[in-house]
Amino acid sequence: MPGHLRIGLISDTHGLLRPEALDFLAGCGHIVHGGDIGKPDILERLAALAPLTVVRGNNDREPWARDLPATALLRFGPVSLYAIHDLKELEIDPAALGVRVVVSGHSHKPACVERAGVLYINPGSAGRRRFSLPISCGELVLDGEAVRPRIVTLVDG
């Protein structure tokens, strides 16, 4: 399939990279980590699977995380993607800038909603369990301008 790209989405690992998450992300053409990474070896392990883009989360305060960006803007052919840890800190108008997808983390709650032509997706938390929220990851399958999002529960709540 020409133009077909699978982008893996992971967030809020908080120092725990589960084997289920690695299995899910295997074969991706790119991976986006939405912050609250926890440990630098998580980035090394993800980067071994595919090109990796990462944003700093509010808990990423160790020296190794100091130079991580707060936001990232990516282009995959005709599709622009903007990553930020906490959606409440979004200071741009994605639709006005032609951004098609906004990836976030922080809440640990998986979510996928489209507003004004912009897809907002939070893959949830792939790390340590919080309350009874599921352990999850997400993906975007891009085919030209088409974007197919999916959130997958790795471990039930």
Side-chain angles (χ1 to χ4, degrees):
M1 260 186 278
H4 178 86
L5 176 67
R6 180 173 173 245
I7 301 170
L9 307 176
I10 186 168
S11 190
D12 296 277
T13 45
H14 292 278
L16 176 63
L17 187 54
R18 295 170 181 268
E20 297 93 341
L22 285 169
D23 289 347
F24 175 75
L25 295 170
C28 285
H30 200 98
I31 297 171
V32 176
H33 193 306
D36 278 358
I37 301 140
K39 294 180 184 166
D41 71 296
I42 288 178
L43 299 182
E44 293 164 20
R45 292 166 67 198
L46 291 174
L49 294 177
L52 175 66
T53 298
V54 60
V55 293
R56 188 178 62 249
N58 59 300
N59 289 303
D60 294 322
R61 293 187 284 252
E62 302 291 319
W64 64 266
R66 197 171 291 135
D67 293 332
L68 295 176
T71 63
L73 180 61
L74 305 165
R75 271 201 88 76
F76 300 99
V79 178
S80 286
L81 180 151
Y82 189 82
I84 186 169
H85 180 60
D86 186 350
L87 199 54
K88 291 185 179 94
E89 295 176 4
L90 187 68
E91 295 178 352
I92 65 162
D93 178 347
L97 292 177
V99 170
R100 177 70 180 91
V101 181
V102 174
V103 176
S104 64
H106 188 61
S107 71
H108 291 228
K109 292 179 184 157
C112 186
V113 63
E114 190 156 342
R115 291 193 301 268
V118 178
L119 179 70
Y120 294 85
I121 186 165
N122 182 331
S125 172
R128 301 182 195 291
R129 185 177 301 285
R130 189 165 164 208
F131 313 117
S132 59
L133 295 169
I135 303 300
S136 58
C137 281
E139 70 179 4
L140 300 169
V141 177
L142 308 185
D143 196 355
E145 292 184 17
V147 178
R148 288 193 322 274
R150 186 167 74 116
I151 294 173
V152 175
T153 298
L154 303 174
V155 181
D156 282 321

